[in-house]
Amino acid sequence: YEIKECDWSSDVCSSDLNVKKVNCGKKGINYIIYSKENNDKKVSAKIYVDCSGPSAILGGKMGISDDKSIMAVGIEYLVPLKKEPYTADLFVGSNLLGGYGWIFPKNTKTAIVGYGTFSKSHFSNVEKSLREMWKIKRVSERCVLKPSEKNVAVLKTGKPLSRFVKGNLLIIGDSALQANPLVGEGVRFVMDASKIASKWIKKSIETNNLGLLENYTNEWKKKYHLKYKIAFLIQQRIKRASTDDRKLDLGVRKLKNISDKDFVKLLSGDINYLFLAKLMLKSLLTNIFQKIKNNKLSLFSYSAHSTDSRSTIGAFSFCNLCPFFGFTLFWILHFNFFLTLNTISFGSHFFLLI
């Protein structure tokens, strides 16, 4: 595995090691031979940890790294900041060629301006795309195109893996797709994964029991697997919409309805199905009450009629709400009528206007 130089075509990225041989047995890795500064070295250990990044040198050899993962490339400039040191900007649009951009102030005088993309055809032009962000008025108003520092990174992402351990090998970081798929952040999550892994490595060595290493996978999955699964699904939807300005505009308008606290939580990647449902319900209710406020929508319409001397609910409509919410409200009203009148007829007319 020669990985000294970046080779976009083969999805290999930089490192200072050249692993020449990985000798494997029934219990995992027996030894590895690598060269550094033209000297070959043979190394053996009880436990091996692959932190080689997107290359996943050992994980790939042992078959626990995902060969169907998705690669992304990001580039950042550290530049002078003109104004608004406490404001972060995110940019999406078809002009960003399937990617997105950002401005994150570091202090009152400097900011990080970055661009990232999943499109392999644009990997070799990421710096050009970054510089062209200064054609966006908001970027040129806030930042000066005089970079004092440049950083380029490769993100390896995909569906969360089912295992991080095989025999005496553990994989951590980009080798294990542990950067959050939605926000592309790795450091915070990988440090926590390392903490979990180190705990079980220590216990495994103390008890001479390699089987305990599997608890690293189990503990990580319990804490993160569902969140990463949801994050990956959202990532793929955003990716598909990244060249459609109409869809992107709609998404940005929806984000305006959520609170700062929820937006920060969304950007942190700390999400689950309940949180997403909460966001959707908030957005839905905000739209409805805004229409009511503007006299564009009647919330309820109700009529009643009598059949066989029994009172019945006639027609009830609840506009623009999801079927589940309307269905629940319908049964609550039926139940309340049952308690007060004991005259419910299930032949009543009920309409949901979606």
Side-chain angles (χ1 to χ4, degrees):
Y1 298 83
E2 176 56 54
I3 53 175
K4 283 189 175 181
E5 300 296 331
C6 228
D7 181 357
W8 301 119
S9 62
S10 61
D11 293 338
V12 173
C13 42
S14 61
S15 174
D16 60 350
L17 294 180
N18 177 15
V19 177
K20 291 187 170 182
K21 184 177 181 179
V22 180
N23 183 276
C24 302
K26 292 182 178 180
K27 294 184 178 181
I29 298 174
N30 295 324
Y31 64 85
I32 64 174
I33 297 177
Y34 71 93
S35 66
K36 187 172 184 180
E37 298 176 352
N38 296 321
N39 293 318
D40 288 356
K41 294 186 178 182
K42 180 179 178 180
V43 179
S44 61
K46 288 183 177 180
I47 297 172
Y48 296 81
V49 181
D50 184 347
C51 304
S52 60
S55 303
I57 298 172
L58 303 182
K61 182 69 175 178
M62 293 290 286
I64 54 173
S65 290
D66 190 359
D67 58 357
K68 296 181 181 179
S69 58
I70 300 168
M71 303 296 288
V73 173
I75 181 171
E76 293 181 337
Y77 281 166
L78 183 63
V79 298
L81 179 66
K82 297 179 184 179
K83 62 179 184 178
E84 299 180 50
Y86 304 106
T87 301
D89 285 328
L90 295 173
F91 302 91
V92 293
S94 59
N95 60 317
L96 294 174
L97 306 173
Y100 66 99
W102 58 88
I103 299 175
F104 294 141
K106 288 195 71 175
N107 49 51
T108 58
K109 295 182 178 180
T110 60
I112 295 171
V113 180
Y115 169 79
T117 181
F118 289 102
S119 176
K120 283 190 176 184
S121 61
H122 295 111
F123 282 2
S124 59
N125 295 314
V126 288
E127 186 163 11
K128 179 182 176 182
S129 297
L130 174 59
R131 298 183 75 88
E132 288 183 347
M133 280 182 58
W134 265 262
K135 293 179 181 178
I136 301 172
K137 185 179 179 181
R138 177 67 176 166
V139 178
S140 59
E141 284 179 345
R142 293 193 64 198
C143 302
V144 181
L145 183 51
K146 290 184 178 180
S148 59
E149 186 178 315
K150 178 178 76 174
N151 292 293
V152 181
V154 176
L155 170 68
K156 189 176 182 182
T157 185
K159 294 180 181 179
L161 301 183
S162 59
R163 62 187 304 188
F164 302 135
V165 176
K166 187 173 182 180
N168 62 347
L169 171 68
L170 299 84
I171 55 175
I172 298 176
D174 280 347
S175 300
L177 306 187
Q178 287 174 340
N180 187 282
L182 179 60
V183 296
E185 181 189 352
V187 174
R188 176 164 54 100
F189 298 100
V190 174
M191 288 183 69
D192 192 40
S194 300
K195 184 178 179 180
I196 296 170
S198 64
K199 176 177 70 176
W200 292 108
I201 289 172
K202 182 179 179 181
K203 290 184 178 181
S204 176
I205 292 173
E206 289 174 346
T207 60
N208 196 30
N209 182 3
L210 290 177
L212 292 178
L213 296 177
E214 293 291 348
N215 289 302
Y216 159 49
T217 297
N218 298 335
E219 188 172 335
W220 188 95
K221 288 176 71 173
K222 185 177 180 181
K223 188 172 184 178
Y224 290 113
H225 192 270
L226 180 59
K227 294 178 181 179
Y228 272 51
K229 184 179 179 181
I230 297 171
F232 179 70
L233 291 175
I234 297 174
Q235 177 211 91
Q236 291 304 292
R237 294 203 60 176
I238 294 173
K239 181 182 175 184
R240 288 193 294 270
S242 63
T243 56
D244 188 329
D245 287 333
R246 185 184 63 83
K247 290 182 180 179
L248 291 173
D249 287 344
L250 178 62
V252 170
R253 285 198 297 270
K254 295 294 184 183
L255 287 175
K256 289 182 179 179
N257 293 329
I258 70 175
S259 66
D260 290 345
K261 181 179 179 181
D262 286 339
F263 190 68
V264 169
K265 187 172 183 178
L266 182 64
L267 286 182
S268 74
D270 185 18
I271 54 178
N272 53 35
Y273 287 123
L274 184 61
F275 175 69
L276 291 180
K278 173 186 170 184
L279 290 187
M280 288 188 286
L281 185 58
K282 274 187 176 181
S283 177
L284 191 61
L285 293 176
T286 299
N287 288 335
I288 290 171
F289 292 125
Q290 187 62 45
K291 289 182 179 180
I292 294 171
K293 183 179 179 181
N294 297 333
N295 296 319
K296 292 182 178 180
L297 179 69
S298 295
L299 186 60
F300 296 105
S301 66
Y302 170 79
S303 65
H305 65 270
S306 177
T307 303
D308 297 330
S309 301
R310 299 175 65 189
S311 299
T312 65
I313 293 180
F316 178 82
S317 65
F318 197 88
C319 302
N320 286 351
L321 280 186
C322 62
F324 174 78
F325 191 94
F327 184 77
T328 303
L329 183 59
F330 170 68
W331 283 110
I332 289 173
L333 289 173
H334 267 66
F335 187 64
N336 286 338
F337 268 84
F338 179 78
L339 290 178
T340 56
L341 303 177
N342 196 26
T343 55
I344 295 299
S345 168
F346 287 93
S348 59
H349 303 289
F350 175 61
F351 304 97
L352 275 177
L353 306 181
I354 306 303

